[in-house]
């Protein structure tokens, strides 16, 4: 029946939200505990803040298209964070992050009129998917950048000892 399907959907979305919030907390545990240096830019909180700002909108039951403006700051943070990472692979990571940002920007640029006047059922399904897809893509991208930053930080700490 319809009621059982809705109940399962609510349960799955609630569990997914709890898992995402727990993952964000786990990824943010080290940057949040790191002491900031006096007079420096506290870069340890930029990626966790961007991740939480994307998740806080995406995990809402209702997110309108004008909420997409919320993605602009996290997109910029992702580009800045990847450029500031050390290592030989910086150009590869910068290229991959730039491609991700451009794909998200392309998804966000799809005209509202096209979304509402799709010619086929397949096109309508694509537009519905393209409407919510930037959020999990950016969540995943920011999460990977946080993981990479933590991994690079652990490698640098091991070299100092």
């Amino acid at each position: 029946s319809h009621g059982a399907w809705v109940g399962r959907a609510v349960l799955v979305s609630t569990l997914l939200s709890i898992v995402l919030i727990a993952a964000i907390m786990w990824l943010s545990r080290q940057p949040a505990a790191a002491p900031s240096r006096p007079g420096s830019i506290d870069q340890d909180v930029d990626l966790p803040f961007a991740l939480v700002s994307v998740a806080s909108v995406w995990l809402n039951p209702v997110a309108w298209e004008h909420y997409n403006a919320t993605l602009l700051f996290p997109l910029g943070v992702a580009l800045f964070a990847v450029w500031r990472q050390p290592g030989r692979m910086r150009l590869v990571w910068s290229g991959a992050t730039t491609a991700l940002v451009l794909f998200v920007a392309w998804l966000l640029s799809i005209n509202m009129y096209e979304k509402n006047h799709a010619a086929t059922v397949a096109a309508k399904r694509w537009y519905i998917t393209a409407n919510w897809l930037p959020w999990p893509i950016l969540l995943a991208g920011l999460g990977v950048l946080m993981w990479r930053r933590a991994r690079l930080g652990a490698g640098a700490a091991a070299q100092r000892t």
Side-chain angles (χ1 to χ4, degrees):
S1 82
H2 179 70
W5 181 86
V6 171
R8 282 188 296 242
V10 169
L11 177 65
V12 168
S13 66
T14 302
L15 291 175
L16 178 62
S17 297
I18 291 169
V19 167
L20 280 173
I21 291 168
I24 290 168
M25 289 173 59
W26 183 79
L27 281 170
S28 302
R29 74 192 187 289
Q30 288 178 335
S36 61
R37 295 178 309 277
S40 68
I41 298 173
D42 195 0
Q43 297 174 22
D44 293 328
V45 297
D46 57 356
L47 284 172
F49 177 78
L51 198 61
V52 168
S53 67
V54 173
S56 66
V57 175
W58 192 58
L59 295 178
N60 274 322
V62 176
W64 302 100
E65 284 203 350
H66 61 272
Y67 290 11
N68 288 342
T70 309
L71 293 175
L72 295 177
F73 179 72
L75 287 169
V77 167
L79 289 172
F80 180 75
V82 76
W83 184 252
R84 303 258 325 162
Q85 289 184 358
R88 293 178 300 206
M89 296 296 291
R90 179 171 71 163
L91 289 178
V92 173
W93 280 87
S94 295
T97 303
T98 302
L100 180 129
V101 166
L102 289 174
F103 182 62
V104 168
W106 175 74
L107 288 172
L108 295 174
S109 72
I110 297 173
N111 189 339
M112 178 70 119
Y113 182 83
E114 290 179 35
K115 290 179 183 178
N116 290 332
H117 297 89
T120 65
V121 173
K124 185 73 165 178
R125 286 186 182 140
W126 161 245
Y127 289 136
I128 289 170
T129 304
N131 201 43
W132 59 261
L133 197 55
W135 300 90
I137 288 174
L138 192 53
L139 276 172
L142 290 167
V144 168
L145 289 174
M146 283 185 61
W147 167 81
R148 170 129 170 100
R149 182 186 280 176
R151 191 168 158 215
L152 289 172
Q159 287 178 351
R160 280 185 248 135
T161 58

